[in-house]
Amino acid sequence: MKIEKKDRIGQILVEQKVITKDQLNDVLEKQAATPYKLLGAILEEMGLVTYQQVQQAYAIQYDLKYVNLAGVEIPKVVLNRIPVKLAGKYLILPLEENSKRIVLATHHPRFISRTVQEDLSYFLDKPVELALSDKDQTIEAICRHYGVDREVLTRYRAAAGGAHEFPDLEEEPGFPYSREIAVIGE
């Protein structure tokens, strides 16, 4: 069976000797029957890998660092660089900043299109790098660090156009960017 770019996670897990090629082929056959189901989810359902292993392979696929947000403390000065509504819309959390760049944690790097990343770089006046984090950890960390509850965060996402995820697309062309960024950019 041919391994497509979106299935690179499986190939990475084979290369790391977490699963075998035969197991990957079985999973790819299952995925062919349910094309909207992510490869990592099928691997987990079959008991072949853990969620952590999928996340780490996903990070490798996108050449990102994997960040465990549990217990991470973020300086207030870094948090002040991204408004809570923007963090909530894209589920991004500013992790660190230095004179050269700012690092944002996201659970889904393909969700942050190049346009959004370029707009963020313009808004923050420095290059933006992404780090991969767990979705639930990202949501919990945003709520904890910004002092909002999950319901408020959900309202921010809905009011901002309900940013959607496109897990099977490399990049969503013309993905809506933040109005806050567009106004500042103009």
Side-chain angles (χ1 to χ4, degrees):
M1 196 157 257
K2 182 182 173 202
I3 296 177
E4 296 178 30
K5 187 172 184 177
K6 68 181 181 132
D7 299 327
R8 178 85 176 104
I9 289 173
Q11 187 62 42
I12 291 166
L13 291 167
V14 168
E15 290 166 5
Q16 293 178 333
K17 297 183 179 11
V18 175
I19 61 173
T20 66
K21 285 183 181 183
D22 290 339
Q23 289 171 321
L24 177 58
N25 286 331
D26 291 345
V27 172
L28 290 172
E29 285 177 20
K30 273 193 171 199
Q31 188 183 37
T34 56
Y36 296 107
K37 197 162 210 174
L38 296 174
L39 187 78
I42 297 170
L43 285 162
E44 284 180 72
E45 284 175 5
M46 292 177 68
L48 299 173
V49 298
T50 64
Y51 177 77
Q52 183 81 15
Q53 289 169 317
V54 170
Q55 288 293 92
Q56 289 170 345
Y58 192 52
I60 290 168
Q61 177 176 347
Y62 288 96
D63 197 27
L64 299 173
K65 177 175 117 178
Y66 179 76
V67 179
N68 184 343
L69 295 175
V72 169
E73 285 304 316
I74 300 162
K76 195 78 168 158
V77 69
V78 175
L79 286 172
N80 289 340
R81 300 280 278 145
I82 303 274
V84 64
K85 288 182 180 182
L86 188 57
K89 177 179 180 178
Y90 292 107
L91 288 184
I92 54 175
L93 181 68
L95 291 177
E96 60 185 66
E97 180 177 15
N98 60 35
S99 62
K100 295 182 181 179
R101 64 171 172 53
I102 186 164
V103 178
L104 303 175
T106 179
H107 76 288
H108 208 302
R110 291 184 292 185
F111 182 49
I112 309 298
S113 71
R114 282 192 188 108
T115 303
V116 171
Q117 199 167 352
E118 288 169 3
D119 285 348
L120 286 168
S121 292
Y122 182 80
F123 174 67
L124 298 167
D125 199 27
K126 58 181 63 180
V128 170
E129 289 183 17
L130 299 177
L132 183 68
S133 57
D134 172 89
K135 184 176 184 176
D136 288 331
Q137 282 185 354
T138 305
I139 291 169
E140 288 172 21
I142 290 171
C143 291
R144 180 175 70 246
H145 290 295
Y146 284 102
V148 297
D149 62 24
R150 271 183 116 105
E151 289 176 21
V152 170
L153 193 65
T154 301
R155 282 197 304 267
Y156 286 154
R157 293 188 78 206
H164 300 286
E165 297 172 31
F166 299 91
D168 290 332
L169 301 178
E170 182 59 30
E171 184 174 52
E172 181 64 12
F175 197 77
Y177 51 90
S178 168
R179 291 177 197 258
E180 296 94 337
I181 293 173
V183 170
I184 291 170
E186 292 172 5

